Amino acid sequence: MKRMLSACLMLVCGLVLAASSSTSPVLPNASPHQSVGTVNCASSTCHGAVAPWTGSNVQQNEYTTWLRLDKHAKAYAVLLNAQSRSIAAKLGLKQGAENAQECLDCHAHNPAPSLRGERHMISDGVGCEACHGPADKWIRSHTVPGATHADNVAKGMYPTEKPVEQAKLCLSCHVGDSSRFVSHRLMGAGHPRLSFELDTFAQLAPAHYKIDDDWRQRKGDYDSVRLWAIGQALASKNQLDALTDPKRGRDGLFPELALFDCHACHHPMSEKKWTPRLGVGPGRMRLNDSNLLMLRAIVRATDPAGANAFSDQVTQLHHAVAGNNASGMAGRSADPLVLASALSATIQRVIVKLEQQRFTPAVQRAVLAGLIDEAKRQQYSDYAGAEQAYMAISSLSSSLAKQGALTNVAEMNRKLAALRVSLANEDAFKPDVFANGLQGLSRTISPQAN
């Protein structure tokens, strides 16, 4: 967590920086096409150059960047370490983590054996085809003069440039979807708690592409804030869909505990940590609403007319999950699964709007103000929510700075550094310290301060 937050702060200090499709393409892990192997991209005349080429529309060193600097290239190797061996032993995976499907599905590109070309290697980890799609149908033609990106996508290349499709791809492993999911059983055996925010992690990957005029001409506009917002919406929807999925939403007698706030249970019994948040009484678990918190601020800034209704839906779901009788839902079912499905449908409509949303500096400031305002309502008592807020504020302030709409960058960085310190140890997290740190950000983001 310290490394991730430090990197995130560096992103802000350095002022780091699509169109909707009518049909949703299948994710690479579910593609019917054959995977030919990462090695096919590794030639120095393809994507394996040591340094970017001059005069080329693409950098040509994408494979080299991935191999040397991207943690995805080391994802399979993680399954061979002592922690993974311990997890596998506790789960009774006699074949080891490096051979278990539930581990390989996210730590490697793991197509069915019949779809593995002779040069495809599971040990390559999360390689080229895990993100860009199995290449059998397009690897030969994508370098032909006159070939277009649309041609490649039609042949099975995955459109990572589209924010919704990128979000679906990244979240399918880093948050989970219907095909792969890090359950509480995995966490109980020693798997780390999932912590992910799409824009921050995309910037830290590092990128092996350059957003320039040629990229925009071939693939459309790029907006990091739109990517962040859609990522928050999809992460929220994925959680609700998991909650209502009978295969993932329950674990025997219990609900799937990975969907709830970890620290609602994981703290010393002597530490009285309960806070009166969301109307959920003591002794009851709260859903992990860290992404929903971010989405609420996004909806307030982009759809003020619908903000109260959205907030009411979220509150009603919290009440129903906690089993509150007086939830203010006269004439409506208090079944939490019904409410979760309804909220998921609402979020899908929000996603459609976000695809077309222009995140101007004014809108970005409104989102930032909304995130800071949540501290006044004591909404960051859960560590996961505070963690998401920090990453969101870092990304948004970085975007504003790059647009010249946040001139007092040094002050923002100082305040973000203090926030980062308050998140350094999740077991020692003090909500009041984090909330107080947020209050000092209001003046920094206001237009008068610029």
Side-chain angles (χ1 to χ4, degrees):
M1 182 61 203
K2 284 185 177 181
R3 289 194 298 271
M4 184 273 292
L5 288 173
S6 297
C8 186
L9 180 63
M10 290 172 63
L11 180 72
V12 177
C13 292
L15 306 187
V16 176
L17 303 161
S20 173
S21 60
S22 56
T23 59
S24 184
V26 65
L27 289 172
N29 67 305
S31 172
H33 300 152
Q34 189 174 73
S35 294
V36 300
T38 298
V39 67
N40 287 280
C41 308
S43 168
S44 60
T45 58
C46 294
H47 297 287
V50 175
W53 286 15
T54 57
S56 174
N57 288 341
V58 295
Q59 303 203 85
Q60 310 291 159
N61 69 333
E62 293 85 0
Y63 169 85
T64 307
T65 300
W66 167 82
L67 183 65
R68 293 180 177 178
L69 302 174
D70 196 325
K71 289 184 178 180
H72 290 99
K74 311 298 188 295
Y76 175 83
V78 169
L79 300 180
L80 302 173
N81 67 24
Q83 183 178 4
S84 293
R85 289 197 301 271
S86 173
I87 293 171
K90 291 173 181 175
L91 292 172
L93 302 176
K94 296 182 180 179
Q95 73 272 47
E98 71 275 18
N99 295 307
Q101 295 302 308
E102 55 263 61
C103 302
L104 291 173
D105 280 347
C106 280
H107 282 265
H109 178 45
N110 186 35
S114 61
L115 295 176
R116 299 176 190 176
E118 61 181 19
R119 305 184 81 187
H120 175 74
M121 301 288 290
I122 289 289
S123 58
D124 282 338
V126 181
C128 308
E129 292 169 290
C131 295
H132 297 289
D136 181 46
K137 301 297 183 183
W138 54 264
I139 192 167
R140 294 171 185 82
S141 62
H142 83 293
T143 58
V144 172
T148 67
H149 181 63
D151 293 336
N152 298 330
V153 171
K155 293 176 181 178
M157 179 180 282
Y158 191 77
T160 57
E161 78 284 355
K162 295 182 181 296
V164 170
E165 308 311 333
Q166 182 181 350
K168 287 179 179 177
L169 173 65
C170 298
L171 293 172
S172 68
C173 273
H174 288 280
V175 172
D177 65 6
S178 59
S179 67
R180 37 196 178 181
F181 183 69
V182 176
S183 67
H184 191 257
R185 289 192 182 195
L186 277 171
M187 293 185 190
H191 193 288
R193 176 182 66 88
L194 293 183
S195 171
F196 184 70
E197 188 273 287
L198 180 56
D199 179 55
T200 297
F201 279 64
Q203 301 289 355
L204 297 175
H208 48 247
Y209 54 87
K210 183 178 181 181
I211 307 294
D212 54 15
D213 290 341
D214 169 73
W215 192 97
R216 293 186 180 92
Q217 182 178 356
R218 289 185 292 117
K219 300 183 178 183
D221 192 21
Y222 180 85
D223 185 336
S224 64
V225 178
R226 184 188 295 128
L227 181 65
W228 166 77
I230 289 174
Q232 292 295 335
L234 267 171
S236 300
K237 186 178 186 305
N238 283 1
Q239 183 196 32
L240 297 172
D241 291 344
L243 185 67
T244 58
D245 185 341
K247 294 181 179 179
R248 295 184 293 152
R250 297 198 68 81
D251 186 14
L253 180 64
F254 293 93
E256 173 50 65
L257 297 177
L259 303 173
F260 293 80
D261 175 54
C262 295
H263 295 286
C265 296
H266 290 284
H267 61 81
M269 292 294 289
S270 60
E271 196 172 325
K272 313 301 183 187
K273 294 186 69 169
W274 177 79
T275 53
R277 180 171 170 255
L278 301 169
V280 178
R284 296 171 178 178
M285 293 187 299
R286 285 196 288 256
L287 281 174
N288 178 356
D289 67 334
S290 55
N291 299 116
L292 282 169
L293 262 174
M294 305 302 102
L295 186 55
R296 186 161 65 181
I298 293 165
V299 171
R300 281 183 183 141
T302 60
D303 182 21
N308 287 339
F310 179 81
S311 184
D312 287 345
Q313 271 194 280
V314 174
T315 300
Q316 289 168 2
L317 176 63
H318 278 294
H319 279 286
V321 168
N324 290 3
N325 292 323
S327 54
M329 294 180 288
R332 293 189 59 185
S333 171
D335 185 335
L337 300 185
V338 172
L339 294 175
S341 293
L343 182 54
S344 175
T346 296
I347 292 173
Q348 181 56 47
R349 293 191 290 272
V350 170
I351 291 170
V352 173
K353 292 180 181 179
L354 290 178
E355 286 187 274
Q356 306 302 322
Q357 176 67 44
R358 289 187 65 248
F359 283 89
T360 63
V363 173
Q364 292 178 51
R365 280 199 187 90
V367 177
L368 272 171
L371 292 173
I372 293 169
D373 193 52
E374 296 287 9
K376 299 175 183 176
R377 294 193 288 271
Q378 297 181 319
Q379 294 301 298
Y380 297 126
S381 59
D382 299 336
Y383 181 85
E387 180 184 54
Q388 282 293 329
Y390 172 83
M391 290 188 284
I393 292 167
S394 297
S395 292
L396 288 162
S397 59
S398 175
S399 174
L400 284 170
K402 286 188 298 181
Q403 297 175 75
L406 185 73
T407 56
N408 201 346
V409 177
E411 182 181 354
M412 175 61 80
N413 285 341
R414 284 194 298 272
K415 295 183 183 302
L416 285 171
L419 279 180
R420 178 169 59 86
V421 170
S422 72
L423 292 168
N425 184 342
E426 61 184 286
D427 295 323
F429 174 62
K430 304 296 183 187
D432 55 334
V433 174
F434 182 80
N436 289 338
L438 277 182
Q439 296 308 309
L441 291 176
S442 296
R443 188 180 66 83
T444 309
I445 67 169
S446 66
Q448 291 80 8
N450 299 318

